[in-house]
Amino acid sequence: MTPLLSDDTICALSTAAGGAMAIIRVSGPDAIRFTDMLFHSPSGRRLCEMASHTAHYGELRDETGKTIDDVVVTLFRSPRSYTGEDTTEISCHGSRYVISLILRQLVSCGCRQALPGEYTQRAFLNGKLDLSQAEAVADLISSTNAATHQMAISQLRGHFSDQLSQLRDQLLHLTSLMELELDFSDHEDLEFADRGELLNLAATTESQISTLIHSFSTGKALRQGIAVAIIGKTNVGKSTLLNSLLHDDKAIVSDIHGTTRDSIEDTTQIHGITFRFIDTAGIRNTSDTIERIGIERTYQKLDEAAIVLWLTDEAPAPNEAKEIAEKAKGKKLIAVINKIDKNGGNPYHPFSSLTPPPDDAVVIPVSAKHGTNMDKLEDAIFDAAGIPSISQNDVIVTNVRHYEALTKAHEDIQSVIDGLHMGLSGDLLSEDLRSCIGHLSEIVGGTITPDETLSNIFSHFCVGK
């Protein structure tokens, strides 16, 4: 990317190309003047004469006076714009040719084509967004379900930033009391900070940081999709079940044993949450080298999954039930009894041979081929995920950078707690407190953030944002 601080005026298409309409955004010190060079209003008035937050109909013309398109230009004056700079947004028709003509004319007037994420980067540098809110813009654009949308909106509205601000205020209060004691260290009987009160405040802060750290596993699962492995013997209907869950013919269905020799993955949404289903090779004794490799991968995928669907179509042998229960230990296990349309409802219980049965194991009879009880299975899968209801006020950590900073902050505050228990001096405790504050500040960009960090963050944005 170009230097972070720039007086250039930039332009880019801010909507997906190919639609009926398009918006081209121009931002920078000369945004209004450059747009004025192309814009012609029926009234003859110029954009530089217009008030902020107003929209104006007119034509865009090239240097020869030839009309390019009828447009509506919306005007935003600094600092009341997304970037904090003078900004115009040109609403034009979505023809790729028209868009290219307009951008070419803006460049000829003096604009520069924006780099990926440069608008949001300028919003951050101009104080319109903190760094965590800026990253939430990319998360909002890439959100694929209700949960990831809610998390991005919450972060964009500053709920995460507010919580971090409260934590920093608590830590600053602790630091100020300790450092005040150091200023009066000659007075041995003078104590500004009650150690019991400090310990309670530090413990409260540690608990809040710990809660944010633990939310990362939920946030990561929601962004990547919760992994669900479908396992079972050959020809029990695993591929048919996968197709039924995905509402699509993703996997090959055949009566021939061992058809699926490698894992097949795809995602779908259940109640607004993305689940990543993995159809695996059927488990059986075989001399086929390729099939054996597929079975080994089945067990690997089982290890990766959070939820295991064990599919059967007849009462399993005790050793099979025991093996599945052991391999699925620590995961949510759902036993799916398939083909109930063929054998009178499958009255058997797959874990009847085990004493005791696996904890929390759920048994759902279905007909994957005919869709019988698939709604109950989907509900069971959703419940097994254990995802809490998420509102736009909830804070769920989804970003690896945030998680790493919180982890370091947690180590620092834990050192403070340990130091208080050991009776360490205030200067040593203050050092850990300042380090903790620094790590929390990294998340929102409240401290000096290296240019390479900012470039890395914003380079992953799409052009136009």
Side-chain angles (χ1 to χ4, degrees), residues 202-221:
T204 299
T205 303
E206 184 277 332
S207 177
Q208 292 171 328
I209 295 175
S210 182
T211 298
L212 290 172
I213 290 172
H214 288 151
S215 74
F216 179 68
S217 59
T218 299
K220 182 180 178 182

Side-chain angles (χ1 to χ4, degrees), residues 35-53:
T35 308
D36 243 342
M37 294 169 67
L38 307 178
F39 181 74
H40 295 268
S41 168
S43 67
R45 296 185 63 189
R46 295 170 58 79
L47 294 171
C48 61
E49 303 170 5
M50 308 299 185
S52 181
H53 290 70

Side-chain angles (χ1 to χ4, degrees), residues 306-324:
I307 301 171
V308 176
L309 303 185
W310 176 34
L311 192 64
T312 64
D313 63 354
E314 61 183 9
N319 62 328
E320 181 186 354
K322 182 179 179 181
E323 182 182 17
I324 295 297

Side-chain angles (χ1 to χ4, degrees), residues 405-433:
L406 286 166
T407 300
K408 292 175 183 176
H410 185 267
E411 292 172 358
D412 291 329
I413 196 63
Q414 189 60 57
S415 295
V416 172
I417 293 172
D418 294 341
L420 285 167
H421 282 303
M422 292 185 292
L424 294 182
S425 61
D427 56 338
L428 295 176
L429 296 174
S430 292
E431 184 176 339
D432 286 325
L433 282 170

Side-chain angles (χ1 to χ4, degrees), residues 386-445:
I387 300 297
S389 59
I390 299 173
S391 73
Q392 291 183 356
N393 294 323
D394 292 331
V395 176
I396 304 291
V397 176
T398 62
N399 187 299
V400 174
R401 188 182 71 84
H402 301 169
Y403 172 75
E404 291 175 347
L406 286 166
T407 300
K408 292 175 183 176
H410 185 267
E411 292 172 358
D412 291 329
I413 196 63
Q414 189 60 57
S415 295
V416 172
I417 293 172
D418 294 341
L420 285 167
H421 282 303
M422 292 185 292
L424 294 182
S425 61
D427 56 338
L428 295 176
L429 296 174
S430 292
E431 184 176 339
D432 286 325
L433 282 170
R434 284 192 294 270
S435 178
C436 185
I437 292 170
H439 290 309
L440 294 178
S441 297
E442 288 175 11
I443 296 174
V444 295

Side-chain angles (χ1 to χ4, degrees), residues 27 43 51 108 115 130 144 173 203 236 268 331 385 394-395 417 419 453:
S27 183
S43 67
S108 70
L115 296 168
D130 67 37
T144 56
H173 178 62
V236 295
T268 192
K331 305 176 184 300
D394 292 331
V395 176
I417 293 172
T453 300

